[in-house]
Amino acid sequence: MAITQEHHSTRLTEYREQFSNLERATDVVRETLREAILDGHLAAGTWLREEEIARELGVSRTPVREALQQLTAVELIEFKPHQGAVVSRLTSDDILAIYIVREALEGISARIAAVRATQEDIDDLRQILTQMEQCAAANNAEALADLNLAFHARMRRISTNRYLDRFLTQVEQSVRRFGRTTYRYTNRAPSSIDEHRAIVDAIAEHNPEQAEAVAVEHMRQARQLRLQMISEGY
């Protein structure tokens, strides 16, 4: 898959427009490529040629080279000797490893939230949960997936721990590369909403042990389902 194909060029330009507020060319290129990769537009195995990217995005090769190096550091791309940069592939082992890390971090996030949450925080989580219920009823899997991310982002903001926020944001970016949401899988939506409700209830009760336990179990269920989807070719 070559990024020089017409539809790639057009789409990369569209991605770039999202980051027109960034001043440094390196930042623009990095975020453009990151979103294109996370969105699945630049699929695993796609070769990324410095000269072609520079021409498409209207920049010199230097910021492209710097951006590729930064994306290598977070393992979105890899350099092959004597060949160049390519969008990295995710294996079932990668998915398992990502979810194991996510389980631990989401558990910590829920534990801290149970200690620090104000009534306003709890109300916000319940509001997102209500919206999730509405999307589930409407069988809107994509919107439900977006609200799921919003729920977990809101929960970790309660912790006011920038390191936790940074690590979980990186993990969620990796999850975006898995493709089809688990909410498209039969009966996942109702059980997931029940799991989210249990997390909110534990936070509202200011029970850190319970909040952590149910958050970890929630992620464990998501991991098992994701691996099952892969094995079934879903």
Side-chain angles (χ1 to χ4, degrees), residues 98-108 216 219-220 223:
I98 288 168
Y99 268 105
I100 287 175
V101 172
R102 195 180 185 193
E103 286 174 23
L105 293 179
E106 290 290 358
I108 294 170
V216 168
M219 285 297 124
R220 186 169 294 132
R223 167 168 55 92

Side-chain angles (χ1 to χ4, degrees), residues 112-182:
I112 297 175
V115 174
R116 298 187 176 180
T118 65
Q119 187 58 50
E120 180 181 0
D121 294 327
I122 296 167
D123 290 343
D124 286 347
L125 291 174
R126 291 201 186 281
Q127 182 178 14
I128 296 173
L129 182 59
T130 297
Q131 294 172 331
M132 293 177 71
E133 292 170 341
Q134 294 169 347
C135 286
N139 199 29
N140 190 337
E142 304 306 326
L144 185 55
D146 289 341
L147 286 168
N148 173 64
L149 291 177
F151 178 96
H152 288 279
R154 183 66 182 89
M155 185 172 69
R156 67 175 177 264
R157 282 200 301 273
I158 298 172
S159 72
T160 64
N161 185 317
R162 68 180 185 275
Y163 297 103
L164 180 62
D165 183 58
R166 182 188 309 164
F167 297 150
L168 273 170
T169 297
Q170 185 173 342
V171 168
E172 285 183 352
Q173 289 177 346
S174 298
V175 171
R176 281 179 59 189
R177 297 191 62 200
F178 295 167
R180 182 171 293 188
T181 173
T182 55

Side-chain angles (χ1 to χ4, degrees), residues 37-38 43-45 74-76 78 87-99 171-179 226 230:
I37 292 170
L38 295 178
V74 294
E75 300 184 355
L76 287 180
E78 58 181 309
V87 178
S88 62
R89 299 183 183 277
L90 285 174
T91 67
S92 58
D93 287 341
D94 292 324
I95 292 173
L96 178 61
I98 288 168
Y99 268 105
V171 168
E172 285 183 352
Q173 289 177 346
S174 298
V175 171
R176 281 179 59 189
R177 297 191 62 200
F178 295 167
R226 177 67 67 180
I230 292 173

Side-chain angles (χ1 to χ4, degrees), residues 9-228:
S9 177
T10 301
R11 289 296 302 277
L12 281 182
T13 301
E14 293 174 2
Y15 282 110
R16 181 188 61 190
E17 292 173 354
Q18 301 177 37
F19 307 105
S20 58
N21 61 314
L22 299 178
E23 296 182 0
R24 296 179 66 246
T26 298
D27 295 339
V28 173
V29 176
R30 183 192 64 240
E31 294 307 310
T32 296
L33 293 177
R34 185 202 303 274
E35 282 303 302
I37 292 170
L38 295 178
D39 202 29
H41 177 62
L42 293 178
T46 301
W47 289 100
L48 304 174
R49 311 294 185 186
E50 288 183 14
E51 184 176 354
E52 295 172 359
I53 296 172
R55 182 172 59 252
E56 292 178 14
L57 298 182
V59 298
S60 69
R61 293 181 65 173
T62 298
V64 174
R65 186 177 303 113
E66 293 174 348
L68 291 177
Q69 290 173 347
Q70 292 174 10
L71 292 174
T72 300
V74 294
E75 300 184 355
L76 287 180
I77 67 173
E78 58 181 309
F79 278 93
K80 294 186 176 293
H82 313 298
Q83 293 179 309
V86 62
V87 178
S88 62
R89 299 183 183 277
L90 285 174
T91 67
S92 58
D93 287 341
D94 292 324
I95 292 173
L96 178 61
I98 288 168
Y99 268 105
I100 287 175
V101 172
R102 195 180 185 193
E103 286 174 23
L105 293 179
E106 290 290 358
I108 294 170
S109 178
R111 168 180 281 275
I112 297 175
V115 174
R116 298 187 176 180
T118 65
Q119 187 58 50
E120 180 181 0
D121 294 327
I122 296 167
D123 290 343
D124 286 347
L125 291 174
R126 291 201 186 281
Q127 182 178 14
I128 296 173
L129 182 59
T130 297
Q131 294 172 331
M132 293 177 71
E133 292 170 341
Q134 294 169 347
C135 286
N139 199 29
N140 190 337
E142 304 306 326
L144 185 55
D146 289 341
L147 286 168
N148 173 64
L149 291 177
F151 178 96
H152 288 279
R154 183 66 182 89
M155 185 172 69
R156 67 175 177 264
R157 282 200 301 273
I158 298 172
S159 72
T160 64
N161 185 317
R162 68 180 185 275
Y163 297 103
L164 180 62
D165 183 58
R166 182 188 309 164
F167 297 150
L168 273 170
T169 297
Q170 185 173 342
V171 168
E172 285 183 352
Q173 289 177 346
S174 298
V175 171
R176 281 179 59 189
R177 297 191 62 200
F178 295 167
R180 182 171 293 188
T181 173
T182 55
Y183 287 114
R184 286 190 173 276
Y185 200 82
T186 305
N187 296 327
R188 176 53 184 160
S191 59
S192 177
I193 288 174
D194 287 343
E195 292 160 17
H196 283 85
R197 185 179 297 108
I199 294 172
V200 178
D201 288 345
I203 292 173
E205 294 168 3
H206 299 288
N207 186 333
E209 290 78 15
Q210 179 67 7
E212 181 175 18
V214 294
V216 168
E217 179 59 25
H218 168 56
M219 285 297 124
R220 186 169 294 132
Q221 292 297 324
R223 167 168 55 92
Q224 292 173 349
L225 180 55
R226 177 67 67 180
L227 293 174
Q228 183 175 343

